[in-house]
Amino acid sequence: MSAIKVKLPYGQEEVEIVVPEQNLVGVYSPNDVAPVANLPQEIVRCLENPIGTKPLCELVKGVKNVVIVADDNTRLTPTDQIIPVLLNEMNSAGIKDDQITIIIALGTHRFMTEEEIALKFGQEVVKRVKIKNHDFKNPDALVDLGVTANGTKILVNKEAYEADFKIGVGSIVPHHIPGFAGGAKIVQPGISGEKTTAETHLLSVRAPRSYLGIEDNPVRQELNMIADKIGMHTIFNTVLNRRGEVVGAFFGHVKEAFTAGVKLSREVYAVEIPEAADIVISSSHPCDIEFWQAHKTLYPSDLAVKEGGTIIIATPCYEGIAVTHSEMSDITCHSSQCLRQMVDKGEIHDEVAAALAIAWAQVKEREDVYFVSNGVTDEDVRKLGFVPFPSVQQAFDAALAKHGDAARVTVLTHAPDMLPIVPGNR
């Protein structure tokens, strides 16, 4: 019986698993798409060829102040290379650096430190313009814009709302809540209040399975309505390959530029897999900081595995489960139905956490989840409703013993950034 050694990224390191060759469906990664030859040229090309709007230099002429809403260090968007070009372009239209502010679209993530900001945005940008963390918990930093047509309360960053011109900077990648990250997601949850984020997240788990890879869905529609409400003028979105290199950039109208970017995003991240597996082994890379990010590993794995199968997650989770949602593990023992009832009765204060707990429960109710992590204790893994293992190999050996010698095995090397296309499994 021959065996294959499979390597998985694990933070900055690698882990190795030995899988019997006859069991292996395959080892899958985002498609290896070549990066653009010259990133500065691609950024300029993108700005000179806007989608659904005028060029940036024309759009900002005469405005008093500009807010750039940019993603945080949980994303790989090369803001340190993009934003200097945006600043120069606006300077050429008469907008000075002191008229421009960057607001970091944290959603409900923790504040970035000064060191992290310098690394993410680059020293040049730090010296040129003001950079602020979005404070989603501070009511004085938010403005109430009423509700959407669906009844979602709209609380957004006040400074961004009041700016004369707004541009969102981020990347387009499959995402379990709005189908794809990018576009209007930079506003919600990026610069929204906790209540708004809770309601859109809870909307996403009304469906029995995630919206991963479904471009048009109720959550995306809600995000677009909120972006329209605050007057988000444009977006600058990149599509990255699995090494974090830019393969394409899109600037223009929030919805139109996003739609164009999704097509390229599918070319990178959508991976055809011939059959659903009994066991799926998945790395959380590049979403390794905490499980609040690494949980994105669950949804592609859920699409790649048979109902009743086993998902094995390998994730370092350097900062534990969730820095800004520290009580998360207190509710993850409940079923999805129970959690919904608790939300309806007002028994859970952190409704953003409740929404994710429901999403995790929906996966656990279909499959078992084995968990390998240096950053989360075995006790907390059990609270999450997962089964802890000291190594990926031991987790795999246990799963193989459970499913039998003929079990089919799929490996996802960069699961959070993947969209498995599996016959009959949607």
Side-chain angles (χ1 to χ4, degrees):
M1 182 188 299
S2 59
I4 295 177
K5 290 182 179 179
V6 177
K7 291 184 178 180
L8 276 177
Y10 184 85
Q12 300 302 313
E13 304 171 7
E14 285 185 333
V15 293
E16 190 174 84
I17 320 104
V18 178
V19 179
E21 185 175 8
Q22 75 268 17
N23 297 87
L24 192 63
V25 176
V27 179
Y28 299 94
S29 302
N31 295 307
D32 195 12
V33 179
V36 296
N38 186 305
L39 181 54
Q41 287 181 9
E42 172 65 8
I43 295 169
V44 171
R45 180 209 62 77
C46 179
L47 293 174
E48 290 179 347
N49 295 274
I51 300 170
T53 66
K54 296 177 181 178
L56 179 60
C57 59
E58 292 184 33
L59 292 170
V60 298
K61 272 184 181 173
V63 305
K64 293 179 181 178
N65 52 61
V66 174
V67 161
I68 299 172
V69 183
D71 58 15
D72 66 7
N73 60 334
T74 65
R75 271 65 176 171
L76 298 177
T77 310
T79 48
D80 60 329
Q81 298 177 70
I82 295 167
I83 291 178
V85 182
L86 297 181
L87 298 181
N88 293 341
E89 191 76 5
M90 289 189 280
N91 290 165
S92 71
I95 307 302
K96 298 176 181 178
D97 286 347
D98 62 12
Q99 294 175 270
I100 303 168
T101 300
I102 295 171
I103 297 177
I104 305 172
L106 295 171
T108 61
H109 305 162
R110 66 162 174 81
F111 276 20
M112 287 177 64
T113 65
E114 289 183 9
E115 293 77 14
E116 289 170 337
I117 289 171
L119 188 63
K120 172 73 174 174
F121 294 95
Q123 290 292 348
E124 176 192 348
V125 174
V126 170
K127 291 174 182 177
R128 289 179 65 177
V129 298
K130 298 181 292 292
I131 303 178
K132 301 180 180 181
N133 283 296
H134 166 63
D135 192 351
F136 70 94
K137 282 185 175 290
N138 180 6
D140 293 335
L142 304 171
V143 61
D144 187 338
L145 300 179
V147 297
T148 67
N150 291 329
T152 297
K153 191 170 185 62
I154 307 173
L155 296 168
V156 295
N157 186 284
K158 186 176 182 179
E159 185 172 2
Y161 171 68
E162 292 178 347
D164 291 334
F165 188 82
K166 313 161 189 53
I167 177 172
V169 177
S171 289
I172 301 173
V173 62
H175 194 284
H176 66 108
I177 292 176
F180 286 85
K185 191 175 182 295
I186 202 73
V187 178
Q188 168 37 233
I191 54 167
S192 297
E194 192 170 17
K195 179 66 174 173
T196 308
T197 299
E199 291 182 6
T200 57
H201 280 51
L202 287 167
L203 175 63
S204 75
V205 292
R206 290 182 189 174
R209 207 167 204 158
S210 81
Y211 287 126
L212 183 72
I214 300 174
E215 183 178 348
D216 185 23
N217 63 71
V219 178
R220 174 54 62 180
Q221 294 163 16
E222 198 80 340
L223 268 52
N224 286 338
M225 280 190 272
I226 294 169
D228 286 345
K229 191 78 171 178
I230 77 155
M232 189 58 141
H233 297 91
T234 58
I235 58 165
F236 187 106
N237 280 177
T238 56
V239 175
L240 312 175
N241 62 22
R242 66 171 178 256
R243 292 178 295 279
E245 300 164 325
V246 174
V247 300
F250 302 83
F251 168 74
H253 185 273
V254 175
K255 293 190 279 288
E256 293 179 35
F258 169 75
T259 298
V262 165
K263 295 176 183 176
L264 180 58
S265 183
R266 286 187 186 278
E267 292 179 22
V268 178
Y269 300 115
V271 179
E272 293 191 6
I273 301 176
E275 61 180 285
D278 300 287
I279 302 166
V280 172
I281 306 170
S282 297
S283 166
S284 71
H285 193 72
C287 298
D288 298 324
I289 296 175
E290 58 180 350
F291 193 63
W292 192 260
Q293 292 302 316
H295 79 97
K296 295 172 187 173
T297 312
L298 287 170
Y299 315 106
S301 304
D302 178 48
L303 290 178
V305 74
K306 295 175 184 175
E307 187 164 349
T310 299
I311 296 169
I312 299 170
I313 294 178
T315 179
C317 289
Y318 303 112
E319 297 184 5
I321 295 174
V323 173
T324 56
H325 300 270
S326 57
E327 298 176 359
M328 182 90 197
S329 60
D330 294 337
I331 62 173
T332 46
C333 57
H334 300 294
S335 69
S336 58
Q337 182 180 1
C338 178
L339 287 163
R340 287 189 181 92
Q341 291 170 347
M342 292 170 73
V343 170
D344 290 342
K345 294 176 182 177
E347 295 175 357
I348 300 178
H349 173 69
D350 187 347
E351 292 185 347
V352 180
L356 289 197
I358 292 169
W360 303 352
Q362 288 176 328
V363 175
K364 291 183 290 183
E365 286 158 10
R366 281 191 293 272
E367 300 102 27
D368 290 330
V369 179
Y370 292 177
F371 200 84
V372 180
S373 177
N374 294 339
V376 183
T377 66
D378 286 0
E379 179 184 1
D380 281 342
V381 171
R382 293 188 182 95
K383 284 183 179 180
L384 292 172
F386 306 147
V387 183
F389 282 89
S391 73
V392 180
Q393 188 66 56
Q394 286 169 283
F396 171 65
D397 291 344
L400 192 60
K402 179 177 73 171
H403 291 286
D405 291 342
R408 304 293 286 156
V409 182
T410 289
V411 179
L412 304 180
T413 64
H414 297 65
D417 287 351
M418 295 181 68
L419 176 58
I421 308 298
V422 184
N425 220 14
R426 170 51 84 180

